[in-house]
Every structure is written in C-alpha cells, then in structure tokens.
Amino acid sequence: TEEAYIYGYPLVTMDMTRKQETNVAVADDQHAPMGQLIKLRAFIPAENHCCAAPNQDTLYTMVWLDVSKEPWVFSIPDMGDRYYIMPMLSGFNEVFFVAGPRTTGSKAQKYAITGAGWSGKLPEGVTEVKSPTALVWILGRIYTTGTAEDYAAVHAQQDQYSVVPLSAYGSSYTPPPTEVDA
C-alpha cells in the first residue's frame, strides 16, 4: 500500500489541480479548458490558494494538454531581454523539459509535445519534446516589475504564445466546445 500511495499520489494531485484550472466552458484570467492558454494578468493575490507558493515577480502563462491522441504544438514568441521560464511537467509532477533563456534562448521557439507512443513527421522548425505521460502541464512564468506599463508589456508577450493540436498547425484553429463537470 505504501508503494501504491507513493506512485499514485502525484497523479491524483496533478489531476485535482488540472480539474480546478480547466473545468470551465470559456477561458478567464485564471482558468481555461484543456488545450487553451491560461494567462494570469496580475500577481496572484494572497487569498488565492491555487498553488503552494505563487511567485510575486512573474505572471503565469499555463496550459494543460492531453497528448494521448496527438501532439500539441506550443509556440513561444521572441522574448527579447525579458526573463521567462516554461517548464513542462508530466502527470507525476516531474519537469521533463524547460524552455527559457538559459536552456533554449530567448528567440521564438516551437515545440511539438508528443506522447510516449507517438512517431511521425513534424513541420519544419518544430522541435519534438517527448512527454513521459499523456497529461502535460506547461507552468510558465514571465518576469514583470508589476507596474502598469510592465504588465502591459508582458500581456502583449502572453498574447503571442499559442498552442494548437498538430493536426491544426498552420491553419486557423478554434478549440472545440467543452463540457463543464458540475
């Protein structure tokens, strides 16, 4: 039983976090359906208990993906001199890849996040990142000073991030309607 707990606990807590953040019909500033970006537009207030220790010098840009059926293409814009970090976490809450100025640079980047059993051809300029689980959480952060001017600059960068299923890459994509679990 102890081994089962140790194995299963991260999966359960990740799924509970996912449900809290994605069980909505349309995106708002702290939630979005699976496969849609969550773009926090201000620092997380102290009374918000979404996470253990939210940063107070970054704005979060996140997305939850299910890569069991097909890869998803995650695009990062040119970040210039602004610090950012885009860790990708598995269903076990383990970081398996990090895009950021130290690891991948600050120029525009495109990643196809693929599931364990996927094989195929990717579009030119898209780098494969293989996830060990079907559930992926990109838990990104972008540095800001917190002033109105800097918030606006980060919002503009957040709005340039994108995520689409590989089958929709390079074409117009409208996410399908989602069902909210009451």
Side-chain angles (χ1 to χ4, degrees):
T1 27
E2 182 179 328
E3 288 177 354
Y5 180 84
I6 290 169
Y7 177 82
Y9 185 73
L11 294 170
V12 171
T13 57
M14 281 290 280
D15 198 49
M16 291 304 298
T17 303
R18 179 194 64 80
K19 286 178 181 175
Q20 290 174 356
E21 293 183 356
T22 64
N23 191 30
V24 294
V26 295
D28 62 32
D29 66 342
Q30 293 186 29
H31 310 88
M34 289 286 293
Q36 296 181 41
L37 289 165
I38 302 168
K39 299 180 263 187
L40 276 72
R41 300 300 202 168
F43 293 142
I44 297 174
E47 63 273 5
N48 183 320
H49 300 288
C50 72
C51 34
N55 295 3
Q56 291 301 308
D57 62 353
T58 62
L59 295 185
Y60 287 80
T61 301
M62 305 179 280
V63 65
W64 289 89
L65 303 172
D66 176 354
V67 297
S68 64
K69 292 182 178 62
E70 73 172 306
W72 283 77
V73 178
F74 177 62
S75 300
I76 300 170
D78 187 322
M79 296 300 289
D81 292 334
R82 186 171 299 276
Y83 179 79
Y84 75 100
I85 187 168
M86 293 288 149
M88 299 179 191
L89 289 81
S90 73
F92 288 100
N93 199 17
E94 295 176 329
V95 175
F96 62 89
F97 182 81
V98 180
R102 184 181 60 82
T103 55
T104 61
S106 293
K107 297 290 183 202
Q109 302 160 56
K110 294 180 188 301
Y111 297 100
I113 299 113
T114 63
W118 185 83
S119 65
K121 185 167 173 41
L122 294 173
E124 190 173 325
V126 177
T127 302
E128 182 179 7
V129 175
K130 192 165 283 295
S131 171
T133 60
L135 180 65
V136 174
W137 186 20
I138 300 176
L139 181 56
R141 285 122 88 191
I142 304 170
Y143 173 77
T144 180
T145 61
T147 65
E149 291 171 350
D150 206 41
Y151 267 2
V154 172
H155 296 169
Q157 285 180 312
Q158 286 177 306
D159 291 341
Q160 293 177 53
Y161 279 78
S162 71
V163 63
V164 298
L166 180 60
S167 60
Y169 181 75
S171 62
S172 179
Y173 174 68
T174 302
T178 59
E179 291 185 30
V180 175
D181 182 353

